[in-house]
Amino acid sequence: MRDLLGLAERKKSRLILALDFVSGDPAVFADRLLAALEPLVVGVKVGLPLALRMGFRGVCELVERYGSGYYFLADFKLADIPDVVREELALLSEAGFDGSIVHLFPMGLEEALSGVRGHDVFGLVAMSHAGSRLLDEHFEDLLRYASRLGIRGVVAPATKPGLVARARAFLPEDYLILSPGVGAQGAEPGSALRHGATFEIVGRSITASEDYYGAAERVVESQRRVIGE
Ligand code: XMP
């Protein structure tokens, strides 16, 4: 399993790239991005749209090919009964993913997660879009639950920086906070880090840019100004 913080330290970056949307052949598109962005990007978050376009075998090949340079995070937002979540996590780990994002609202996950070894789990505690009222209303509950589970960290939205700051203040120190919502959804690069996030997740503002290297570089430069590197 790859060391997320070690890679971040080496690259002096807190950027996780979200791969959802592709143009043209998905394998060629993903290959071109990952071959170029390794010096800047710490982790690659594979979303369901990419997996559905490439097929799971294609995704596994990507993980195998680029596994030495990136931390791979499966974002299938798992939300099933605990026995099924346990099996999903085991299969994603077997496929070479270092971590997965799970929804916490189904609860009852203690036993399913206690057996997970060598694979990080990140729990969703709020969402970045404007209409996520139901989840956001239970933010404190979900944070409390996340902190009891002994997982690697949470996903909290950069578009709602107050929630990121509350998550940082509440969670155990060793919990990581991954923040999506930077770029296409409006949050500025570096802003979530300033509020206590450990990593920022950025998708379209890089993947849809003609100059994706330049776009990623600008994100990382903003981040470096915040983390002082
Ligand atoms: P963009 O293209 O908007 O991509 O930069 C954002 C990525 O992050 C995911 N996303 C979230 N995941 N909680 C999550 O667990 C959230 O609140 C959230 N908001 C965005 C989205 O799936 C995409 O991959």
Side-chain angles (χ1 to χ4, degrees):
M1 191 182 138
R2 286 149 288 244
D3 171 16
L4 181 57
L5 291 175
L7 279 173
E9 200 53 42
R10 176 155 70 73
K11 300 186 186 190
K12 307 212 173 310
S13 162
R14 298 295 181 273
L15 173 56
I16 293 178
L17 182 71
L19 275 185
D20 296 298
F21 298 98
V22 300
S23 67
D25 181 303
V28 173
F29 180 83
D31 223 40
R32 208 174 42 191
L33 253 76
L34 296 198
L37 294 177
E38 213 213 281
L40 297 169
V41 169
V42 179
V44 177
K45 186 177 80 66
V46 174
L48 195 52
L50 182 77
L52 292 172
R53 282 195 192 280
M54 283 186 88
F56 197 62
R57 186 183 292 271
V59 168
C60 293
E61 282 168 13
L62 203 65
V63 173
E64 205 178 309
R65 194 163 331 125
Y66 290 101
S68 61
Y70 295 103
Y71 177 96
F72 274 92
L73 181 62
D75 183 8
F76 303 135
K77 296 192 177 62
L78 311 179
D80 215 314
I81 55 170
D83 284 345
V84 175
V85 172
R86 181 194 290 119
E87 180 70 354
E88 290 166 342
L89 292 172
L91 291 169
L92 289 167
S93 179
E94 231 175 87
F97 280 99
D98 302 292
S100 292
I101 295 176
V102 305
H103 268 297
L104 298 177
F105 67 79
M107 301 194 73
L109 293 166
E110 291 79 351
E111 210 188 305
L113 298 188
S114 69
V116 177
R117 299 274 177 275
H119 187 79
D120 294 333
V121 173
F122 295 90
L124 240 155
V125 291
M127 288 193 84
S128 55
H129 60 297
S132 65
R133 180 183 58 80
L134 206 56
L135 261 185
D136 295 3
E137 276 177 8
H138 293 278
F139 172 71
E140 303 282 349
D141 256 357
L142 292 168
L143 266 188
R144 264 194 298 279
Y145 186 52
S147 70
R148 281 206 309 274
L149 280 175
I151 53 181
R152 189 74 201 279
V154 303
V155 184
T159 48
K160 300 169 186 174
L163 298 189
V164 176
R166 275 157 69 191
R168 184 69 288 161
F170 181 86
L171 289 168
E173 226 172 87
D174 61 343
Y175 268 49
L176 307 182
I177 299 176
L178 315 184
S179 266
V182 171
Q185 291 182 87
E188 290 294 323
S191 61
L193 298 183
R194 212 173 291 118
H195 286 86
T198 330
F199 288 92
E200 293 179 331
I201 295 172
V202 186
R204 288 162 291 178
S205 65
I206 295 173
T207 59
S209 167
E210 301 242 308
D211 175 19
Y212 47 81
Y213 193 90
E217 203 167 36
R218 284 189 288 282
V219 171
V220 173
E221 277 166 6
S222 301
Q223 294 182 334
R224 285 176 183 159
R225 282 196 286 279
V226 178
I227 58 180
E229 282 176 339

Coordinates of all heavy atoms in Angstrom, one line a residue, residues 127-192:
M127 N -21.6 17.1 1.8 CA -21.2 17.2 0.4 C -21.1 18.6 -0.1 O -21.6 19.6 0.5 CB -22.3 16.4 -0.4 CG -22.1 14.9 -0.2 SD -23.0 13.9 -1.4 CE -21.8 13.8 -2.8
S128 N -20.4 18.7 -1.3 CA -20.0 20.1 -1.7 C -21.1 20.8 -2.5 O -21.0 22.0 -2.6 CB -18.8 19.9 -2.7 OG -19.1 19.0 -3.7
H129 N -22.1 20.2 -3.0 CA -23.1 20.9 -3.8 C -24.2 21.6 -2.9 O -24.3 21.2 -1.7 CB -23.8 19.9 -4.8 CG -24.5 18.8 -4.2 ND1 -23.9 17.8 -3.4 CD2 -25.8 18.4 -4.2 CE1 -24.8 16.9 -3.0 NE2 -26.0 17.3 -3.4
A130 N -24.9 22.5 -3.5 CA -25.8 23.4 -2.7 C -27.0 22.6 -2.1 O -27.4 22.9 -1.0 CB -26.3 24.5 -3.6
G131 N -27.4 21.5 -2.7 CA -28.7 20.9 -2.3 C -28.5 19.8 -1.3 O -29.4 19.0 -1.0
S132 N -27.3 19.6 -0.7 CA -27.1 18.4 0.2 C -27.6 18.6 1.6 O -26.9 18.3 2.5 CB -25.6 18.1 0.2 OG -24.8 19.1 0.8
R133 N -28.8 19.2 1.7 CA -29.3 19.5 3.1 C -29.3 18.3 4.0 O -28.9 18.4 5.2 CB -30.7 20.1 2.9 CG -31.4 20.5 4.2 CD -32.8 21.0 4.0 NE -33.7 20.1 3.3 CZ -34.3 19.1 3.9 NH1 -34.1 18.9 5.2 NH2 -35.0 18.2 3.3
L134 N -29.9 17.2 3.6 CA -30.1 16.1 4.5 C -28.8 15.6 5.1 O -28.7 15.4 6.3 CB -30.8 15.0 3.7 CG -31.6 14.0 4.6 CD1 -32.7 14.7 5.4 CD2 -32.3 13.0 3.7
L135 N -27.7 15.5 4.3 CA -26.4 15.0 4.8 C -25.8 16.1 5.7 O -25.4 15.8 6.8 CB -25.5 14.8 3.6 CG -25.2 13.4 3.1 CD1 -24.1 13.5 2.0 CD2 -24.8 12.5 4.2
D136 N -25.9 17.4 5.2 CA -25.2 18.4 5.9 C -25.9 18.6 7.3 O -25.2 19.0 8.3 CB -25.2 19.7 5.1 CG -24.4 19.6 3.9 OD1 -23.8 18.5 3.6 OD2 -24.3 20.6 3.1
E137 N -27.2 18.4 7.4 CA -27.9 18.6 8.7 C -27.3 17.5 9.7 O -27.5 17.7 10.9 CB -29.4 18.4 8.5 CG -30.1 19.6 8.0 CD -31.6 19.4 7.8 OE1 -32.1 18.3 8.1 OE2 -32.2 20.3 7.2
H138 N -26.8 16.5 9.2 CA -26.3 15.4 10.1 C -24.8 15.4 10.2 O -24.2 14.4 10.6 CB -26.8 14.1 9.7 CG -28.3 13.9 9.9 ND1 -28.9 13.7 11.1 CD2 -29.3 14.2 9.0 CE1 -30.2 13.7 10.9 NE2 -30.5 14.0 9.7
F139 N -24.2 16.6 9.8 CA -22.8 16.7 9.8 C -22.1 16.3 11.1 O -21.2 15.5 11.2 CB -22.4 18.1 9.4 CG -21.0 18.5 9.5 CD1 -20.1 17.9 8.6 CD2 -20.5 19.3 10.4 CE1 -18.7 18.3 8.6 CE2 -19.2 19.7 10.5 CZ -18.3 19.1 9.6
E140 N -22.6 16.9 12.2 CA -22.0 16.6 13.5 C -22.1 15.1 13.9 O -21.2 14.5 14.4 CB -22.7 17.5 14.6 CG -22.6 19.0 14.4 CD -21.3 19.6 14.7 OE1 -20.4 18.9 15.3 OE2 -21.1 20.8 14.3
D141 N -23.3 14.6 13.6 CA -23.5 13.1 13.9 C -22.5 12.3 13.1 O -21.9 11.3 13.6 CB -24.9 12.8 13.3 CG -25.9 12.6 14.4 OD1 -25.5 12.7 15.5 OD2 -27.1 12.4 14.0
L142 N -22.4 12.6 11.8 CA -21.5 11.9 11.0 C -20.0 12.0 11.4 O -19.2 11.0 11.3 CB -21.7 12.3 9.5 CG -23.0 11.9 8.9 CD1 -23.3 12.6 7.6 CD2 -23.2 10.4 8.7
L143 N -19.7 13.2 11.8 CA -18.3 13.4 12.3 C -18.0 12.6 13.6 O -17.0 11.9 13.7 CB -18.1 14.9 12.8 CG -17.6 15.9 11.8 CD1 -17.3 17.2 12.6 CD2 -16.3 15.4 11.1
R144 N -19.0 12.6 14.5 CA -18.8 11.8 15.7 C -18.7 10.3 15.3 O -17.9 9.6 15.9 CB -20.1 11.9 16.6 CG -19.9 13.0 17.7 CD -20.9 12.9 18.8 NE -22.3 13.2 18.2 CZ -22.7 14.4 18.0 NH1 -22.0 15.4 18.3 NH2 -23.9 14.6 17.5
Y145 N -19.5 9.9 14.4 CA -19.5 8.5 14.0 C -18.1 8.1 13.3 O -17.5 7.1 13.6 CB -20.7 8.2 13.0 CG -20.8 6.7 12.6 CD1 -20.8 5.8 13.6 CD2 -20.8 6.3 11.3 CE1 -20.9 4.4 13.3 CE2 -20.9 5.0 10.9 CZ -21.0 4.0 11.9 OH -21.1 2.7 11.6
A146 N -17.7 9.0 12.4 CA -16.4 8.8 11.7 C -15.3 8.7 12.8 O -14.4 7.8 12.6 CB -16.1 10.0 10.8
S147 N -15.3 9.5 13.8 CA -14.2 9.5 14.7 C -14.2 8.3 15.6 O -13.2 7.8 16.0 CB -14.2 10.8 15.6 OG -15.3 10.7 16.5
R148 N -15.4 7.6 15.7 CA -15.5 6.4 16.5 C -15.0 5.2 15.7 O -14.6 4.2 16.2 CB -16.9 6.1 16.9 CG -17.4 6.9 18.1 CD -18.5 6.2 18.9 NE -19.6 5.8 18.0 CZ -20.6 6.5 17.7 NH1 -20.7 7.8 18.1 NH2 -21.6 6.1 16.9
L149 N -15.1 5.3 14.4 CA -14.8 4.1 13.5 C -13.4 3.8 13.4 O -13.0 2.7 13.0 CB -15.4 4.4 12.1 CG -16.9 4.2 11.9 CD1 -17.3 4.6 10.5 CD2 -17.3 2.7 12.2
G150 N -12.5 4.7 13.7 CA -11.1 4.4 13.5 C -10.7 4.3 12.1 O -10.0 3.3 11.7
I151 N -11.2 5.2 11.2 CA -10.8 5.1 9.8 C -9.7 6.1 9.5 O -9.2 6.8 10.4 CB -12.1 5.4 8.9 CG1 -12.8 6.7 9.3 CG2 -13.1 4.3 9.0 CD1 -14.0 7.1 8.5
R152 N -9.3 6.2 8.2 CA -8.1 7.0 7.9 C -8.5 8.5 7.8 O -7.7 9.4 8.0 CB -7.6 6.6 6.5 CG -6.2 7.3 6.2 CD -5.1 6.7 7.0 NE -4.0 7.5 7.1 CZ -3.0 7.6 6.3 NH1 -3.0 7.0 5.1 NH2 -1.9 8.4 6.5
G153 N -9.8 8.8 7.5 CA -10.2 10.2 7.5 C -11.6 10.4 6.9 O -12.3 9.4 6.8
V154 N -11.8 11.6 6.5 CA -13.2 12.0 6.0 C -13.0 12.8 4.7 O -12.0 13.3 4.4 CB -14.0 12.8 7.1 CG1 -14.1 12.1 8.4 CG2 -13.4 14.2 7.3
V155 N -14.2 12.9 4.0 CA -14.3 13.8 2.9 C -15.2 14.9 3.3 O -16.3 14.7 3.7 CB -14.9 13.1 1.7 CG1 -14.9 14.0 0.5 CG2 -14.0 11.8 1.4
A156 N -14.7 16.2 3.2 CA -15.5 17.3 3.6 C -15.3 18.4 2.6 O -14.2 18.6 2.1 CB -15.1 17.8 5.0
P157 N -16.4 19.2 2.3 CA -16.4 20.0 1.1 C -15.7 21.3 1.2 O -15.9 22.1 2.1 CB -17.9 20.3 0.9 CG -18.5 20.1 2.3 CD -17.7 19.1 3.0
A158 N -14.8 21.6 0.2 CA -14.1 22.9 0.2 C -15.0 24.0 -0.1 O -14.7 25.2 0.3 CB -13.1 22.8 -1.0
T159 N -16.2 23.8 -0.7 CA -17.2 24.8 -0.9 C -17.9 25.3 0.4 O -18.6 26.3 0.4 CB -18.3 24.3 -1.9 OG1 -18.7 23.0 -1.4 CG2 -17.8 24.1 -3.3
K160 N -17.7 24.5 1.5 CA -18.3 24.9 2.8 C -17.1 24.9 3.8 O -17.0 24.0 4.6 CB -19.4 23.9 3.1 CG -20.5 23.9 2.1 CD -21.5 22.7 2.2 CE -22.4 22.7 1.1 NZ -23.3 21.6 1.0
P161 N -16.3 25.9 3.7 CA -15.0 25.9 4.5 C -15.3 25.9 6.0 O -14.5 25.3 6.7 CB -14.3 27.2 4.1 CG -15.3 28.0 3.4 CD -16.4 27.1 2.8
G162 N -16.4 26.4 6.4 CA -16.8 26.3 7.9 C -16.8 24.8 8.3 O -16.4 24.5 9.4
L163 N -17.4 24.0 7.4 CA -17.5 22.6 7.8 C -16.1 21.9 7.9 O -15.8 21.1 8.7 CB -18.4 21.8 6.8 CG -19.8 22.3 6.7 CD1 -20.7 21.3 5.9 CD2 -20.5 22.4 8.1
V164 N -15.2 22.3 7.0 CA -13.8 21.8 7.0 C -13.2 22.1 8.3 O -12.6 21.3 9.0 CB -13.0 22.3 5.8 CG1 -11.6 21.8 5.9 CG2 -13.6 21.8 4.5
A165 N -13.3 23.4 8.7 CA -12.7 23.8 9.9 C -13.3 23.1 11.1 O -12.6 22.7 12.1 CB -12.9 25.4 10.1
R166 N -14.6 22.9 11.1 CA -15.2 22.2 12.2 C -14.8 20.7 12.3 O -14.5 20.1 13.3 CB -16.7 22.3 12.2 CG -17.3 23.6 12.8 CD -18.6 24.0 12.3 NE -19.7 23.1 12.7 CZ -20.9 23.1 12.2 NH1 -21.2 24.0 11.3 NH2 -21.9 22.3 12.6
A167 N -14.6 20.1 11.1 CA -14.1 18.7 11.0 C -12.7 18.7 11.6 O -12.4 17.8 12.4 CB -14.2 18.2 9.6
R168 N -11.9 19.6 11.2 CA -10.5 19.6 11.7 C -10.5 19.8 13.3 O -9.7 19.1 13.9 CB -9.7 20.7 11.0 CG -8.2 20.8 11.4 CD -7.4 19.6 10.8 NE -7.7 18.3 11.5 CZ -7.4 17.1 11.0 NH1 -6.9 17.0 9.8 NH2 -7.6 16.0 11.7
A169 N -11.3 20.6 13.8 CA -11.3 20.9 15.2 C -11.8 19.7 16.0 O -11.4 19.4 17.1 CB -12.2 22.1 15.5
F170 N -12.7 18.9 15.4 CA -13.4 17.8 16.1 C -12.6 16.5 16.0 O -12.6 15.8 17.0 CB -14.8 17.7 15.5 CG -15.6 16.6 16.2 CD1 -16.3 16.9 17.4 CD2 -15.6 15.3 15.8 CE1 -17.0 15.9 18.1 CE2 -16.2 14.3 16.5 CZ -16.9 14.6 17.6
L171 N -12.1 16.2 14.8 CA -11.6 14.9 14.6 C -10.2 14.6 15.3 O -9.5 15.6 15.5 CB -11.4 14.7 13.1 CG -12.7 14.5 12.3 CD1 -12.4 14.6 10.8 CD2 -13.4 13.2 12.6
P172 N -9.9 13.4 15.5 CA -8.6 13.1 16.0 C -7.5 13.6 15.1 O -7.7 13.7 13.9 CB -8.5 11.5 16.0 CG -10.0 11.1 16.0 CD -10.7 12.2 15.3
E173 N -6.4 14.0 15.6 CA -5.3 14.7 14.9 C -4.8 13.9 13.7 O -4.5 14.4 12.6 CB -4.2 14.9 15.8 CG -3.6 16.3 15.7 CD -2.6 16.5 16.8 OE1 -1.4 16.2 16.5 OE2 -2.9 17.0 17.9
D174 N -4.8 12.5 13.8 CA -4.3 11.7 12.7 C -5.3 11.5 11.6 O -5.0 10.8 10.6 CB -3.7 10.4 13.3 CG -4.8 9.6 13.9 OD1 -5.9 10.1 14.3 OD2 -4.6 8.4 14.1
Y175 N -6.5 12.0 11.8 CA -7.5 11.8 10.7 C -7.1 12.8 9.5 O -6.9 14.0 9.8 CB -8.9 12.1 11.2 CG -9.7 10.9 11.7 CD1 -9.1 10.0 12.6 CD2 -11.0 10.7 11.2 CE1 -9.8 8.9 13.0 CE2 -11.7 9.6 11.7 CZ -11.1 8.7 12.6 OH -11.8 7.6 13.0
L176 N -7.2 12.3 8.3 CA -7.0 13.1 7.2 C -8.3 13.7 6.7 O -9.3 13.1 6.9 CB -6.3 12.3 6.0 CG -5.1 11.5 6.3 CD1 -4.5 10.9 5.0 CD2 -4.0 12.4 6.9
I177 N -8.2 14.9 6.1 CA -9.5 15.5 5.5 C -9.2 15.7 4.1 O -8.3 16.5 3.7 CB -9.8 16.8 6.2 CG1 -10.1 16.6 7.7 CG2 -11.0 17.5 5.5 CD1 -10.4 17.8 8.5
L178 N -10.0 15.1 3.2 CA -9.9 15.3 1.8 C -11.1 16.2 1.4 O -12.2 16.0 1.7 CB -10.1 14.0 1.0 CG -9.3 12.7 1.6 CD1 -9.5 11.5 0.6 CD2 -7.8 13.1 1.7
S179 N -10.7 17.3 0.6 CA -11.7 18.3 0.3 C -11.9 18.4 -1.2 O -11.1 19.0 -1.9 CB -11.3 19.7 0.8 OG -11.8 19.9 2.1
P180 N -13.1 18.0 -1.7 CA -13.4 18.3 -3.1 C -14.2 19.6 -3.2 O -14.6 20.2 -2.2 CB -14.4 17.1 -3.4 CG -15.0 16.7 -2.1 CD -14.1 17.2 -1.0
G181 N -14.4 20.1 -4.4 CA -15.1 21.3 -4.6 C -14.2 22.5 -5.0 O -14.7 23.6 -5.2
V182 N -12.9 22.2 -5.2 CA -12.0 23.2 -5.7 C -12.0 23.3 -7.2 O -12.0 22.3 -7.9 CB -10.5 22.8 -5.2 CG1 -9.5 23.8 -5.8 CG2 -10.5 22.9 -3.7
G183 N -12.1 24.5 -7.7 CA -12.1 24.7 -9.2 C -13.5 24.8 -9.7 O -14.2 25.7 -9.5
A184 N -13.9 23.7 -10.4 CA -15.2 23.7 -11.1 C -16.4 24.1 -10.2 O -17.3 24.7 -10.6 CB -15.4 22.4 -11.8
Q185 N -16.3 23.7 -8.9 CA -17.4 24.0 -8.0 C -17.2 25.3 -7.3 O -18.0 25.6 -6.4 CB -17.6 22.8 -7.1 CG -18.2 21.6 -7.7 CD -18.4 20.5 -6.7 OE1 -19.5 20.4 -6.1 NE2 -17.4 19.6 -6.5
G186 N -16.1 26.0 -7.5 CA -16.0 27.3 -7.0 C -15.0 27.6 -6.0 O -14.6 28.8 -5.8
A187 N -14.5 26.6 -5.2 CA -13.6 27.0 -4.1 C -12.2 27.2 -4.7 O -11.8 26.6 -5.7 CB -13.5 25.8 -3.1
E188 N -11.5 28.1 -4.1 CA -10.1 28.5 -4.6 C -9.1 27.4 -4.2 O -9.2 26.9 -3.1 CB -9.7 29.8 -4.0 CG -10.4 31.0 -4.5 CD -10.2 31.3 -6.0 OE1 -9.0 31.1 -6.4 OE2 -11.1 31.7 -6.7
P189 N -8.1 27.1 -5.0 CA -7.1 26.2 -4.6 C -6.4 26.8 -3.4 O -6.1 28.0 -3.3 CB -6.1 26.2 -5.8 CG -6.9 26.7 -7.0 CD -8.0 27.6 -6.4
G190 N -6.1 25.9 -2.4 CA -5.4 26.3 -1.2 C -6.4 26.7 -0.1 O -6.1 26.7 1.1
S191 N -7.7 27.0 -0.5 CA -8.6 27.5 0.5 C -9.0 26.4 1.6 O -9.1 26.7 2.8 CB -9.8 28.1 -0.1 OG -10.5 27.1 -0.8
A192 N -9.2 25.2 1.1 CA -9.6 24.2 2.0 C -8.4 23.8 3.0 O -8.6 23.5 4.1 CB -10.0 22.9 1.3

